[in-house]
Structures are given as structure tokens and as C-alpha cells.
Amino acid sequence: MAKEGAHMTEETEFMIDKNVGKERDKVESSSDAKEMRAIILTGFGGLNKLRITKKAMPELQEGEVKIRVKACGLNFLDLMVRQGNIDNPPKPPLVPGFEVSGIVESVAENIAEFEIGDRVMALVNYNAWAEVVCAPVDFVYKMPDDMTFSEAAAFSLNFVAAYMMLFEVANLQEGMSVLVHSAGGAVGQAVAQLCSTVPNVTVFGVASSSKHAAIRDSVTHLFDRNADIVQEIKKISPEGVDIVLDSLCGENTGKGLSLLRPLGTYILYGASNMVTGETKSFFSFAKSWWQVEKVNPIKLYEENKVMAGFSLLNLLFKHGKCSHVKSVMDKLLRLYDQKKIRPVVDSLWALEEVKEAMQRIHDRVNIGKLILDVEKSPTPLMANDSTETSEAGEEEEEPEGDNDSKERMPFIH
């Protein structure tokens, strides 16, 4: 049994008003709405496996909050899910996506934390890319009054992961140094901002040269991804660094470990080097695995180094650490209210533009987070759609020549 809510058909600007949640008489009923738009992954593979369709709206279960979605986050992990490039993926057809922001439409009985009309963000175990989502109450968080829905969809996954890696796994303290790969991405920018909240932290960032002008001020030292990172960093810091955050894997694992100072921490939180094309490649997987330096525990012991891995979604949905994550979110929201951190949004896309948006991630040209805006109308195409056949570029590398999708980028900078 649920407390039924409202179909939020008013303009987003109206819904942002913090008083809307208290004015129940101004909200229209949505009890007749039976279907919703959603993005379906029909099978593992290329971009042509993604479809926009109508499907039954989810039914509220015990302990859940029903959210009328305004924005969804799009991550590199979603790309790997589409390819079937993760361990034990759910069987398609499925609705991808792990984070949303929106407005509470109804809540299950005995839930006192949220009311109809609350502006919230949530982490979900798939099913995010749809107009309506039901999420367990433990994974739902209230948005600050001045946070936009696009910012909220760019906030939870990236900032929580960055915070936990820096402060809870690596124990970042004043005067330390951090190396972060893919510094122009959403996690990379979250890492840079969080490091700035601690005095005298040196951040070494790695990104393709095309991103340097946009992100130069966010890090202390910035290097091109094709540079000899080990030699360049040791010119500045001969003893290396205290923390390495690696989202690439492959040969970068050995390089990262070699740069660690005594008592330093290397954290692997992704393996994007395994993705080099539109579909899953056994060759890319094998090459990346072969390049990983085989770690000898005795060597770690002798050199006083720490090697760790981090997956926020596993922490939430497999290990049940939702209360721990909630405490981290509370700390992050305080930093947001203090204007010390703010998510970087690269661009907004309609649900119908998910292939173009995902191609932008393939090409590694985004700075910050890509957002699927549920209320946005598709941008008219200015060039032939190439998303069915295009191949993704190498990590952090711009594709050569003109890219059709760039001509219809809905940038919001």
C-alpha cells in the first residue's frame, strides 16, 4: 500500500520551487498513467542494441520511493554494461543506468524521511534510464534547494566514489600528492575538487591535450596521456606520489605502483583500457590483462605500499553498505552547501539521443558528466547519424577528422 502522488507535468522551473512539496492542492493526479518511456538494452553489443520504447511503469514496493525522473547520469560503466564487459551482468532486455534525480511521486507506507514533492537524487541497481524509477529508501537523498536536477544526476555516484577513495581508502591528508588518470572525466573532476578542500595537496592530472585548456586550473600539474608519466612526475617529485587513482588498468597498473612513495596507496576503480571499440573485444581484454604487472605481496611488504580496489556499486548493492554511503553523502552535501564542490556537467541529451551521448563517451571527449534530460526534446540532426557504425577511439584520445556527433552536441558550458 502506498501514499499515491502526483504526475509532475508542470515546468521544471516551477517544480524547483522549494515550496512546491508543501502545496499538495496544486499537483495533478497521475493515477491514470500506466506506461512510461524508457531506454532498453536489447542485447549486449554495439550502439544499435539501445532502443527507446514504452514499458509498464514500475509498481511501488515496500520500503521504496517512486521518483518522477528529471535527469539520469551516463557513465563509462554504462558503456561497459552495454558491451557485456562486466562480471555477471543481468540478462537483457534491461533498462540501464545507476543514478537519477527527480521528484518524489509516492512513498511506501511507514516511510517518514520523504514526502510527495521532495526533490531527490538516488542510486539504483539498473533501471535508471526511464521516466519513473522506484528506489529503496536507503539509496535516496534529498537535493539542496539550489542544486539543479542535472547537477544532482552528476553528483552522487562520482563524488561519493571520489570521496571514499581519497579519504577512507587512501586517508588523504594535508601535504600529500595525488595522481589521477582521466582528469577531465566526472570522477577526475570530483577528485580535483575534493583535493582542493585539503591544504597543500598536489594533484597530478592526466588527460588528452585537447582537454588541457578547460581543466588546467583544476589540478596542480597536467600531463598529456601519451607522455611518459613516470618520468614527468619524477622530475617534479623524485619520491613519487602518495595516492594513485587508476581508472584505466593495463600497463598503467605497474606505472602507478612504481610511482608510489612508502605508505602510498594505489587504487584501481575502473578498467577502461579494456574498451577500444564499439563492441566487446577479447583482444583488448587480453592485452590489458597481459599488461597488468603481476603483484608480489612480498614486494608490497618490502616497499611499504598499499594496493586496493574500489567499486561503489558493489559496496552498495552487494556488500550492503548503504548507511556508510549515506554518511558520506551527508558530508558531501555540506561541502556543496559551503560552495566547496560542484559537479561539472559536460552536456545534456534527450533520451532519444542516448546513442550519440554514449558515442561521446566512446570518443573520450567529454569534460565532466553527460546527462540524459528526460524533459529535453531531441536536437535536430545536422549530419548523417553515424552512431550505428562508428568505432570508439582509444582512451582519452580525440578521433581524427570531423565527428558527426560533435555537430549536434547540446553543450551547456
Side-chain angles (χ1 to χ4, degrees), residues 45 83-85 273-289 391:
Q83 293 186 343
N85 221 346
N273 274 342
M274 294 183 182
V275 177
T276 56
E278 188 179 318
T279 57
K280 182 177 180 179
S281 168
F282 176 78
F283 174 77
S284 297
F285 180 88
K287 179 182 176 183
S288 187
W289 175 254
E391 290 294 321

Side-chain angles (χ1 to χ4, degrees), residues 5-258:
H7 189 179
M8 305 303 176
T9 58
E10 292 85 355
E11 293 295 323
T12 298
E13 290 81 3
F14 174 74
M15 298 310 300
I16 289 177
D17 189 330
K18 62 183 178 182
N19 295 320
V20 166
K22 305 183 189 318
E23 299 179 6
R24 300 292 179 263
D25 57 329
K26 295 184 179 180
V27 179
E28 298 178 8
S29 172
S30 65
S31 58
D32 295 333
K34 302 297 182 183
E35 290 188 328
M36 64 178 182
R37 286 186 305 149
I39 296 171
I40 302 294
L41 180 66
T42 61
F44 299 125
L47 295 165
N48 60 351
K49 299 296 185 179
L50 294 167
R51 297 279 187 272
I52 299 290
T53 187
K54 291 277 191 178
K55 70 186 302 288
M57 196 172 292
E59 295 185 4
L60 193 65
Q61 303 296 319
E62 182 179 355
E64 288 186 339
V65 175
K66 180 181 283 190
I67 302 168
R68 175 66 57 170
V69 176
K70 296 293 184 178
C72 319
L74 204 161
N75 302 284
F76 197 92
L77 178 61
D78 298 310
L79 185 155
M80 298 183 72
V81 168
R82 194 202 74 220
Q83 293 186 343
N85 221 346
I86 61 172
D87 287 336
N88 300 315
K91 184 178 179 181
L94 61 92
V95 177
F98 299 99
E99 55 189 332
V100 301
S101 63
I103 299 167
V104 173
E105 193 165 88
S106 59
V107 296
E109 288 186 347
N110 301 319
I111 291 180
E113 301 96 314
F114 299 98
E115 295 181 350
I116 296 166
D118 282 346
R119 301 167 69 250
V120 296
M121 48 188 163
L123 293 167
V124 292
N125 196 14
Y126 296 94
N127 298 310
W129 295 354
E131 290 183 311
V132 175
V133 164
C134 289
V137 66
D138 290 337
F139 304 141
V140 182
Y141 318 96
K142 288 186 179 180
M143 292 168 49
D145 290 340
D146 60 343
M147 182 181 280
T148 67
F149 288 114
S150 59
E151 286 180 331
F155 189 82
S156 52
L157 195 64
N158 301 126
F159 271 94
V160 170
Y163 186 97
M164 296 189 75
M165 287 191 292
L166 287 172
F167 295 103
E168 302 198 351
V169 180
N171 192 27
L172 177 66
Q173 297 181 30
E174 180 177 353
M176 283 186 170
S177 56
V178 179
L179 167 62
V180 57
H181 290 281
S182 301
V187 174
Q189 287 295 287
V191 166
Q193 291 185 32
L194 289 169
C195 285
S196 71
T197 67
V198 181
N200 303 317
V201 171
T202 300
V203 180
F204 297 94
V206 183
S208 59
S209 57
S210 62
K211 300 184 180 183
H212 284 201
I215 69 172
R216 190 179 305 279
D217 293 340
S218 66
V219 298
T220 314
H221 304 284
L222 188 57
F223 307 104
D224 184 81
R225 64 174 297 275
N226 295 313
D228 186 337
I229 304 302
V230 174
Q231 292 303 315
E232 292 298 321
I233 290 178
K234 287 193 172 181
K235 287 178 184 178
I236 301 169
S237 178
E239 293 184 357
V241 299
D242 297 295
I243 301 170
V244 174
L245 303 179
D246 181 9
S247 61
L248 308 180
C249 198
E251 62 181 344
N252 293 281
T253 300
K255 293 178 180 178
L257 284 170
S258 71

Side-chain angles (χ1 to χ4, degrees), residues 242 260-265 297-307:
D242 297 295
L260 279 186
R261 293 175 175 176
L263 301 183
T265 304
I298 298 299
K299 188 175 181 181
L300 293 176
Y301 150 73
E302 291 174 344
E303 297 181 353
N304 282 290
K305 294 181 178 180
V306 177
M307 189 173 189

Side-chain angles (χ1 to χ4, degrees), residues 256-331:
L257 284 170
S258 71
L259 280 168
L260 279 186
R261 293 175 175 176
L263 301 183
T265 304
Y266 164 94
I267 304 174
L268 180 69
Y269 70 98
S272 61
N273 274 342
M274 294 183 182
V275 177
T276 56
E278 188 179 318
T279 57
K280 182 177 180 179
S281 168
F282 176 78
F283 174 77
S284 297
F285 180 88
K287 179 182 176 183
S288 187
W289 175 254
W290 180 258
Q291 290 174 329
V292 174
E293 181 175 310
K294 304 306 180 284
V295 178
N296 183 342
I298 298 299
K299 188 175 181 181
L300 293 176
Y301 150 73
E302 291 174 344
E303 297 181 353
N304 282 290
K305 294 181 178 180
V306 177
M307 189 173 189
F310 183 82
S311 166
L312 176 57
L313 294 178
N314 282 346
L315 196 69
L316 275 173
F317 302 122
K318 289 186 178 180
H319 305 144
K321 298 296 184 180
C322 54
S323 61
H324 192 158
V325 171
K326 175 65 165 58
S327 69
V328 171
M329 180 65 78
D330 290 341
K331 296 174 185 176

